[in-house]
Amino acid sequence: MIELGAAALVLGVLLIVVEAHVPTAGVLAGIGALFVAAGVWLLITSSDTAQMIAIPAAVGVALVGVGLAAVSGRKALTARHAPVRTGLQSLVGSHATVRNWAGRQGQVEAAGSLWKAQTQFGDDETPAVGDAVVVEQIRGLTLTVRRREPWEIPQ
């Protein structure tokens, strides 16, 4: 019985460690917590200790482990749906400053770099040097921008 309890503990801990490296949204960690709880229960009941100690200890370990797995799973799912905050895609929605402009194309400064830019389709007003614009999309190395609305706060 002691060997089975130790094996359950090791398997539970192994599943929790694997959860840290595999995106299963807390499923493996929850199963691992249940294995750890079963291991604790088997180890306690295999000795001369009464089951009055084993059952509450195992239930406590299981509840804490499954609760932590649920919290980490929810955080993982939330992070999966969060917008990209690195690389080129982080420029979308950010503010830029017009450095020079002619017609529908020009240059803007965004994220500390100069970018080729064009206005959105249907935007008739030509931005002036120093105007604040908002990046709407990126195609290759060209930013598509629009005028910043008065209610938008610069980032």
Side-chain angles (χ1 to χ4, degrees):
M1 202 67 128
I2 292 176
E3 295 83 14
L4 189 59
L9 274 175
V10 170
L11 181 62
V13 170
L14 182 65
L15 285 173
I16 292 170
V17 169
V18 168
E19 173 68 37
H21 301 287
V22 179
T24 63
V27 173
L28 288 180
I31 294 170
L34 293 176
F35 270 103
V36 168
V40 167
W41 183 76
L42 287 170
L43 287 175
I44 291 176
T45 58
S46 65
S47 67
D48 292 335
T49 309
Q51 285 198 7
M52 292 194 328
I53 296 172
I55 291 174
V59 169
V61 169
L63 287 177
V64 169
V66 170
L68 289 174
V71 168
S72 67
R74 183 173 177 174
K75 294 274 187 195
L77 291 175
T78 302
R80 184 176 290 176
H81 296 292
V84 176
R85 297 183 191 262
T86 61
L88 282 180
Q89 293 303 318
S90 66
L91 289 175
V92 175
S94 67
H95 294 269
T97 305
V98 175
R99 291 297 173 217
N100 63 46
W101 203 271
R104 286 202 51 196
Q105 295 185 348
Q107 279 188 330
V108 296
E109 182 181 347
S113 300
L114 285 177
W115 293 84
K116 181 179 174 185
Q118 63 186 16
T119 57
Q120 275 190 318
F121 178 76
D123 195 0
D124 295 331
E125 294 184 37
T126 303
V129 174
D131 282 355
V133 292
V134 178
V135 178
E136 285 295 311
Q137 73 184 85
I138 302 170
R139 286 198 179 157
L141 295 176
T142 303
L143 305 179
T144 302
V145 297
R146 65 169 171 79
R147 286 195 167 279
R148 182 173 62 97
E149 299 294 331
W151 53 266
E152 292 179 297
I153 299 171
Q155 296 174 348

